[in-house]
């Protein structure tokens, strides 16, 4: 046998994963064999039951064998039942003592009784169905599951337990259904304590009906966790009388007493169980003492091995095998391992052996008493939908009436070594072993390469390893080795060595192997070269340090530029009036990056009831941009205030940027001069977005006069334009940070701004702050400066 889903028994060459790798085909083979096995089992059970039922009638009525047989045939025909069902009813439904003929102590003359209807069907039909189903069970565990399947409908059962009374007076759980494995484990062995309802039922030979949880808890120790989960319970001896050895427990999740029909049904089912328990191969359906002894041995063995007990038909032919013991390393096609296999059948757990040379080898071993050893054969397993092929050998040796089967997987040593070598090479690590008893030391080839040691010089003793490390790391490595050899403490220690190309960073991991008495026997470990990883870590740390330093410098520069900007460009706290116009200013710095920008504005009153409005944007960021902004701002204000024309001021500012050695920036700008008397706004621009005019609910951008950005040409041409402002007009001067978005053209930004202003005008017509909040909901990547100029409707 092997722990595989697919097994063949041909010699190794060639490996044919064709039809033999078809699990569905194997399953069909097993299904056919299982059906034939059930047919033969029914035939054998019928013969045995007929003999026992005949004997029971002879004992109870004193008739002859022929009369008893005729009585069974007549009862089956009269009741419309099969002979098998009649046999089970005769054996399991004999009249209990409390229903005997008064004054005689004997059952009625017919030797049978007709209890009332129970559950959902006629009482006899229910027993017939239960009896027919019990023929198919092969262990107490299957018996419990079968009973729960029928009693859940007929008696409201939610769990079934079968307990055997031990020689010492305690109880052992034979089978269960409807309870969790954890609960079954907790209550598997019950000591002979007082107040146990199943023990009470076994001692008295009478059922115990637990139907009042409060009273029952005072009288009995209730099995289950929590006890309130099963408010009504019944414990019945199997078979009845003082010789009862097995107790049948029926647990229900709903409260209330068992009805009379349910009680009669459970008594009859308990007597049916008595017949089935006697029909098992072993009296209790559990492995015998020899199997228990073998299991104890197998629990301590490595590898894969199982103990098989042949299951024979009435003719004596082996139909299947039952697994009575297994090593922890044994695995079947369903993934069950170790003791989970015990009680299973071989054709269920390893269906592919059916009809194979392995199967015939088992039969020869049973017949001749000589061990069977197979030739190596190929096996193909399916793991995560991927075929995996291996080579196996199987040995089957007779042990008592059964077979001890073991199997071994053969993998080429060269393949294993190559895989190990590849893993070490790719992981840049090597293994090492030190035998502290013999003094032998073994290193893999990769270990010599990692440690930079010539293989001719041989490996180094464990205590000599610190000598290979740099002096500053040797102490830590020596301390770790001392803890390992003195207290068997494993370690994982980084250290450095001096290599031909410089210092290399290594990692050593080791653990101790001790004898049963605690004596240190061997040390196993590996050493790994982490130089590349460590170099990357150091480079990353240096990069992070440089980034943090640069970020600190940039943040300091931003703080300085921000203070300078606020000092040069103070913002009014509320709208101001200039030359009869209402002026509102907004400046919003960028939210990303660490630099401040060069956006700026001016709004000053000029002589003769006029006003100057300027919005500009210096290219770049930081202290340089702020300095250029300050120079342009004050120069523009001074020139226009002293009588220079707007276009002349732009030309001189262009020359200033071109000729100054300290300024290497370009800039955009809008210059506008408003005369209150004529209500005319004259303006010019240098590469700047056009002003936006809002008039009578309509919005348009002013046509820009010619003008190139400042600092880009030695001979630019600047022109001016004029517009007469009307009461209620609104004019917005702004920098490009208000309309520009990454990946979007300037026209789309201008259209979006127009829509936002129009929506704002049609709404409440609130402040400039509200407008900017609606237009700039996300993170700002550039500075934004806006002059909101409004002419009141009435001056």
């Amino acid at each position: 046998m092997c722990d595989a889903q697919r097994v063949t028994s041909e010699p190794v060459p060639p490996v044919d994963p064709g039809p033999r790798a078809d699990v569905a085909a194997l399953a069909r083979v097993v299904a056919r064999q299982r059906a034939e096995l059930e047919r033969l089992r029914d035939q054998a059970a019928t013969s045995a039951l007929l003999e026992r039922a005949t004997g029971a009638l002879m004992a109870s009525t004193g008739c002859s064998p022929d009369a008893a047989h005729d009585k069974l045939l007549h009862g089956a025909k009269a009741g419309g039942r099969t002979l098998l069902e009649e046999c089970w009813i005769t054996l399991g439904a004999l009249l209990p003592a409390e229903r005997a003929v008064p004054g005689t102590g004997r059952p009625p003359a017919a030797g049978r009784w007709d209890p009332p209807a129970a559950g959902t069907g006629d009482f006899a039909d229910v027993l017939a169905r239960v009896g027919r189903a019990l023929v198919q069970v092969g262990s107490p565990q299957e018996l419990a599951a079968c009973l729960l399947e029928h009693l859940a409908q007929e008696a409201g059962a939610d769990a079934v337990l079968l307990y055997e009374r031990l020689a010492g007076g305690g109880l052992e759980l034979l089978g269960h259904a409807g309870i969790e494995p954890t609960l079954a484990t907790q209550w598997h062995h019950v000591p002979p304590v007082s107040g146990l309802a199943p023990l009470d039922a076994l001692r008295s030979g009478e059922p115990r009906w637990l139907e009042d949880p409060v009273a029952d808890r005072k009288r009995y120790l209730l099995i289950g966790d929590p006890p309130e989960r099963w408010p009504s319970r019944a414990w019945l001896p199997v078979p009845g009388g003082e010789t009862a050895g097995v107790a049948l427990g029926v647990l229900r999740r709903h409260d209330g007493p068992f009805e009379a029909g349910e009680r009669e049904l459970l008594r009859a089912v308990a007597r049916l169980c008595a017949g089935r328990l006697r029909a098992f191969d072993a009296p209790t359906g559990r492995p015998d003492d020899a199997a228990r002894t073998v299991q104890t041995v197998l629990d301590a063995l490595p590898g894969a091995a199982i103990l098989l007990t042949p299951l024979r038909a009435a003719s004596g032919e082996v139909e299947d095998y039952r697994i009575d013991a297994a090593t922890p390393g044994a695995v079947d096609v369903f993934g069950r391992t170790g003791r989970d296999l015990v009680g299973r059948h071989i054709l269920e757990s390893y269906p592919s052996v059916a009809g194979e040379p392995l199967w015939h080898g088992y039969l020869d071993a049973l017949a001749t008493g000589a061990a069977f050893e197979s030739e190596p054969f190929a096996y193909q397993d399916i793991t995560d939908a991927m075929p995996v092929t291996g080579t196996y050998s199987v040995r089957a040796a007779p042990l008592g009436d059964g077979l001890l089967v073991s199997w071994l997987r053969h993998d080429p040593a060269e393949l294993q070594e190559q895989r190990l070598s590849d893993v070490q090479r790719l992981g840049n690590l090597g293994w090492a072993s030190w035998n502290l008893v013999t003094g032998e030391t073994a290193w893999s080839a990769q270990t010599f390469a990692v440690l930079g040691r010539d293989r001719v010089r041989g490996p180094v003793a464990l205590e000599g390893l610190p000598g290979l490390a740099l002096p500053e790391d040797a102490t830590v490595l020596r301390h770790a080795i001392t803890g390992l050899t003195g207290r068997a403490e494993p370690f994982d220690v980084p250290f450095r060595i001096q290599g031909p190309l410089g210092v290399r960073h290594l990692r050593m991991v080791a653990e101790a192997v001790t004898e049963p008495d605690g004596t240190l026997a061997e040390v196993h470990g590996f050493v790994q070269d982490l130089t590349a990883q460590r170099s990357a870590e150091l480079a990353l740390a240096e990069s992070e340090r440089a980034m943090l330093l640069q970020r600190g410098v940039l943040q300091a520069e931003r703080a300085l530029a921000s203070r300078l900007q606020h000092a040069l460009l103070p913002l009014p706290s509320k709208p101001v009036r200039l030359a009869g116009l209402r002026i509102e200013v907004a400046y919003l710095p960028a939210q990303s990056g660490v630099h401040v920008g060069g956006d700026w504005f001016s709004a000053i009153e000029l002589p003769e009831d006029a006003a100057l409005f300027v919005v500009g944007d210096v290219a770049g960021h930081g202290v340089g941009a702020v300095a250029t902004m300050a120079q342009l701002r004050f120069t523009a204000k001074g020139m226009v205030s002293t009588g220079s024309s707007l276009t002349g001021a732009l030309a001189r500012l262009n020359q200033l940027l071109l000729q100054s050695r300290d300024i290497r920036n370009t800039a955009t700008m809008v210059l506008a001069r408003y005369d209150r008397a004529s209500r005319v706004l004259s303006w010019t621009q240098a590469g700047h977005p056009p002003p936006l005019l809002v008039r009578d609910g309509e919005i348009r951008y002013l046509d820009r006069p010619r003008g190139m950005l400042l600092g880009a040409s030695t001979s630019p041409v600047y022109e001016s334009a004029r517009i007469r402002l009307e009461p209620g007009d609104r004019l917005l001067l702004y920098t490009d940070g208000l309309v520009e978005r990454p990946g979007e053209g300037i026209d789309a930004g201008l259209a979006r701004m127009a829509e936002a202003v129009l929506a704002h005008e049609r709404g409440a017509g609130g402040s400039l702050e509200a407008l900017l909040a609606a237009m700039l909901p996300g993170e700002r990547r550039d500075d934004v400066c806006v002059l909101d100029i409004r002419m009141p409707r009435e001056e």
Side-chain angles (χ1 to χ4, degrees):
M1 291 306 304
C2 66
D3 50 345
Q5 291 184 358
R6 301 174 185 175
V7 180
T8 64
S9 55
E10 281 74 9
V12 174
V15 175
D16 181 12
R20 299 184 185 279
D22 189 350
V23 176
L26 292 176
R28 288 193 292 271
V29 171
V30 173
R32 290 194 299 269
Q33 293 179 339
R34 180 65 66 192
E36 178 63 15
L37 176 61
E38 297 299 340
R39 187 188 66 79
L40 295 173
R41 177 183 290 174
D42 289 347
Q43 180 180 347
T46 301
S47 178
L49 280 175
L50 182 58
E51 293 180 3
R52 288 199 294 273
T54 301
L57 282 179
M58 292 170 59
S60 61
T61 64
C63 64
S64 65
D66 291 339
H69 186 268
D70 292 340
K71 193 174 188 63
L72 290 172
L73 291 175
H74 177 74
K77 182 177 180 181
R81 295 182 287 270
T82 65
L83 181 59
L84 177 64
E85 293 171 343
E86 187 67 24
C87 289
W88 273 113
I89 293 175
T90 300
L91 287 172
L94 295 178
L95 187 64
E98 62 269 23
R99 292 184 58 86
V101 176
T104 65
R106 296 182 294 100
R112 299 178 68 251
W113 62 297
D114 188 16
T120 61
D122 181 78
F123 194 89
D125 292 338
V126 173
L127 290 182
R129 289 197 301 271
V130 176
R132 185 166 56 251
L134 291 183
V135 177
Q136 309 298 326
V137 303
S139 68
Q141 184 68 19
E142 295 179 12
L143 175 60
C146 179
L147 292 178
L148 179 58
E149 179 181 355
H150 290 80
L151 295 180
Q153 180 180 5
E154 305 299 338
D158 293 299
V160 170
L161 305 177
L162 288 172
Y163 271 105
E164 180 190 26
R165 179 164 53 184
L166 301 177
L171 296 174
E172 182 175 357
L173 186 63
L174 297 181
H176 61 86
I179 65 172
E180 295 80 3
T182 302
L183 183 60
T185 302
Q186 293 173 347
W187 292 90
H188 186 75
H189 293 284
V190 181
V193 297
S194 59
L196 282 174
L199 269 180
D200 193 7
L202 290 175
R203 293 192 185 106
S204 65
E206 297 294 334
R208 290 294 178 261
W209 311 99
L210 281 63
E211 300 162 330
D212 184 349
V214 176
D216 296 336
R217 191 179 295 107
K218 296 178 180 179
R219 183 178 180 186
Y220 294 112
L221 173 61
L222 301 181
I223 295 176
D225 186 18
E228 297 80 3
R229 184 180 180 184
W230 321 99
S232 60
R233 309 160 181 246
W235 291 98
L236 303 97
V238 182
E242 296 182 356
T243 59
V246 175
L248 167 64
V250 177
L251 282 62
R252 305 196 300 187
R253 288 194 175 93
H254 63 276
D255 55 6
F258 289 87
E259 298 179 359
E262 292 174 336
R263 293 193 178 196
E264 294 295 347
L265 174 62
L266 293 181
R267 287 191 181 98
V269 168
R271 289 188 289 277
L272 284 177
C273 292
R276 190 58 196 146
L277 287 170
R278 287 194 298 269
F280 292 150
D281 295 330
T284 62
R286 293 178 293 109
D288 56 19
D289 292 339
R292 294 179 183 178
T293 302
V294 173
Q295 181 63 66
T296 303
V297 175
L298 294 187
D299 283 340
L301 292 181
I306 51 178
L307 176 65
L308 302 181
T309 297
L311 303 177
R312 301 180 182 272
S315 62
E317 180 182 359
V318 176
E319 299 176 321
D320 204 343
Y321 296 87
R322 185 182 66 240
I323 303 174
D324 282 342
T327 60
V331 183
D332 73 355
V333 296
F334 301 105
R336 293 179 291 232
T337 61
R339 291 201 175 197
D340 290 338
L341 295 173
V342 175
R344 308 286 179 181
H345 292 176
I346 200 70
L347 291 180
E348 173 191 355
S349 298
Y350 306 97
S352 56
V353 304
E356 294 290 332
L358 283 177
W359 183 269
H360 298 297
Y362 294 166
L363 296 178
D364 291 341
L366 286 175
T368 64
F372 161 74
E373 296 189 10
S374 74
E375 295 292 332
F377 61 89
Y379 135 70
Q380 190 176 66
D381 188 12
I382 297 297
T383 302
D384 295 332
M386 294 295 294
V388 180
T389 302
T391 305
Y392 287 82
S393 293
V394 175
R395 186 177 191 275
L399 181 62
D401 295 331
L403 291 174
L404 182 62
V405 179
S406 59
W407 57 94
L408 179 65
R409 177 170 182 169
H410 305 284
D411 281 333
E414 310 82 42
L415 179 60
Q416 293 286 5
E417 287 189 13
Q418 183 61 46
R419 290 174 178 171
L420 180 59
S421 177
D422 291 343
V423 169
Q424 294 183 82
R425 176 179 53 82
L426 295 174
N428 206 5
L429 56 83
W431 60 264
S433 177
W434 290 270
N435 190 315
L436 304 184
V437 178
T438 64
E440 297 179 355
T441 300
W443 284 7
S444 68
Q446 192 67 22
T447 302
F448 286 96
V450 171
L451 291 173
R453 185 174 177 83
D454 191 347
R455 296 188 64 177
V456 177
R457 300 176 61 187
V460 176
L462 185 61
E463 58 273 10
L465 282 179
L468 302 179
L470 294 181
E472 51 268 35
D473 295 343
T475 302
V476 176
L477 185 57
R478 186 177 296 107
H479 178 75
I481 293 175
T482 301
L484 177 67
T485 57
R487 300 178 297 276
E489 297 176 352
F491 67 77
D492 185 343
V493 175
F495 66 97
R496 294 167 296 170
I497 65 172
Q498 182 64 48
L501 301 179
V503 175
R504 294 165 59 198
H505 297 265
L506 308 183
R507 173 196 180 199
M508 183 75 184
V509 179
E511 65 178 4
V513 178
T514 59
E515 298 292 347
D517 61 356
T519 304
L520 194 65
E522 288 186 72
V523 171
H524 301 156
F526 70 86
V527 60
Q528 185 176 17
D529 191 342
L530 302 178
T531 302
Q533 176 183 338
R534 184 58 178 161
S535 298
E537 292 174 352
L538 292 176
L540 179 60
E542 178 62 24
S543 176
E544 290 178 348
R545 188 193 66 80
M547 289 176 60
L548 290 175
L549 179 61
Q550 180 65 20
R551 186 176 183 84
V553 172
L554 295 177
Q555 288 177 339
E557 181 181 336
R558 178 185 176 90
L560 174 62
S562 179
R563 288 196 297 269
L564 178 61
Q565 187 181 54
H566 285 299
L568 298 175
L569 197 66
L571 290 173
S573 59
K574 60 182 179 179
V576 297
R577 285 189 172 271
L578 294 176
L581 299 178
R582 179 183 180 275
I583 312 300
E584 191 172 358
V585 182
Y587 178 83
L588 303 175
Q591 293 176 315
S592 61
V594 295
H595 291 294
V596 294
D599 291 20
W600 57 282
F601 71 92
S602 279
I604 61 173
E605 193 165 8
L606 298 177
E608 299 179 358
D609 206 9
L612 173 67
F613 304 110
V614 186
V615 170
D617 184 1
V618 176
H621 297 81
V623 176
V626 174
T628 302
M629 175 269 290
Q631 191 169 6
L632 292 176
R633 180 171 184 264
F634 288 113
T635 303
K637 289 169 57 178
M639 287 189 294
V640 176
S641 298
T642 56
S644 295
S645 66
L646 298 180
T647 55
L650 286 181
R652 291 190 181 91
L653 292 175
N654 182 70
Q655 291 297 321
L656 174 67
L657 291 180
L658 291 175
Q659 296 175 0
S660 176
R661 296 181 179 179
D662 299 328
I663 301 177
R664 292 293 184 266
N665 298 83
T666 59
T668 66
M669 185 182 300
V670 169
L671 280 175
R673 185 180 188 280
Y674 174 72
D675 182 73
R676 183 173 185 176
S678 62
R679 295 190 301 183
V680 173
L681 180 79
S682 303
W683 67 286
T684 186
Q685 62 88 29
H688 203 84
L692 178 67
L693 175 66
V694 182
R695 175 175 290 173
D696 296 331
E698 295 184 357
I699 292 180
R700 68 182 179 92
Y701 287 101
L702 302 184
D703 295 330
R704 294 194 308 168
R706 284 201 301 171
M708 184 179 294
L709 77 163
L710 303 176
S713 174
T714 57
S715 57
V717 175
Y718 297 106
E719 297 178 349
S720 63
R722 294 161 58 90
I723 182 173
R724 178 183 174 85
L725 298 182
E726 302 294 340
D729 282 357
R730 181 181 187 184
L731 190 69
L732 293 176
L733 308 181
Y734 53 91
T735 56
D736 57 6
L738 186 63
V739 294
E740 288 185 346
R741 296 289 184 276
E744 183 181 75
I746 186 64
D747 291 338
L750 293 174
R752 185 180 59 255
M753 176 180 171
E755 292 176 359
V757 173
L758 182 59
H760 185 259
E761 285 291 318
R762 291 176 177 175
S767 64
L768 176 62
E769 181 181 359
L771 173 63
L772 295 181
M775 293 182 60
L776 302 170
E779 183 182 48
R780 295 184 299 277
R781 302 172 60 90
D782 196 3
D783 295 355
V784 174
C785 183
V786 181
L787 270 179
D788 187 359
I789 304 171
R790 303 193 191 198
M791 173 174 282
R793 293 190 179 276
E794 296 182 0
E795 293 195 42

